[in-house]
């Protein structure tokens, strides 16, 4: 189990409770799909510990940094946000 109580190496569907959580989970999911490490984002000026704080909380990701992260992962805003994480948020 990791520090969030998630089983290691298994996909677990977690329902995000708000937009901040949904964004963090989506960053984590796309980063793992693309086999990127958190430190890979340092080349665009975002430290690994910042990526970690977006993925695991408590930090929220501003639009400027989010756009850099999305571009680094080579996805569009539409692809990023067109995901079940963003459906039915409270």
């Amino acid at each position: 189990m990791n520090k969030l109580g998630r089983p290691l190496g298994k996909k677990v569907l977690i329902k995000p409770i708000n937009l901040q959580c949904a964004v963090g989970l989506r960053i984590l999911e796309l980063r793992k799909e693309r086999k990127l490490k958190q430190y890979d984002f340092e080349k665009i000026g975002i430290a690994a510990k910042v990526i970690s704080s977006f993925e695991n909380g408590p930090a929220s990701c501003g639009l400027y940094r989010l756009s850099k992260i999305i571009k680094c992962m080579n996805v569009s805003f539409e692809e990023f946000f067109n995901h079940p994480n963003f459906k039915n948020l409270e």
Side-chain angles (χ1 to χ4, degrees):
M1 300 284 242
N2 68 10
K3 65 183 178 181
L4 296 176
R6 298 178 191 152
L8 295 174
K10 293 184 178 182
K11 280 199 166 194
V12 177
L13 181 61
I14 298 172
K15 184 181 183 310
I17 58 172
N18 59 33
L19 183 59
Q20 177 180 330
C21 290
V23 167
L25 289 171
R26 187 67 172 139
I27 291 170
L28 175 65
E29 178 182 49
L30 287 170
R31 180 178 63 77
K32 291 195 178 238
E33 281 177 10
R34 285 158 175 72
K35 297 180 174 42
L36 295 170
K37 302 291 184 195
Q38 291 175 339
Y39 61 80
D40 290 331
F41 295 91
E42 291 179 356
K43 66 184 175 193
I44 60 168
I46 302 175
K49 67 181 182 179
V50 174
I51 296 296
S52 177
S53 69
F54 294 154
E55 293 176 349
N56 301 309
S60 61
C61 186
L63 188 57
Y64 176 72
R65 281 188 174 157
L66 181 59
S67 66
K68 289 176 76 171
I69 291 168
I70 288 172
K71 185 175 181 180
C72 183
M73 291 192 290
N74 199 28
V75 297
S76 66
F77 270 88
E78 181 180 1
E79 182 181 353
F80 185 88
F81 286 105
N82 188 20
H83 187 270
N85 282 3
F86 301 101
K87 307 294 187 233
N88 303 317
L89 288 176
E90 297 176 4

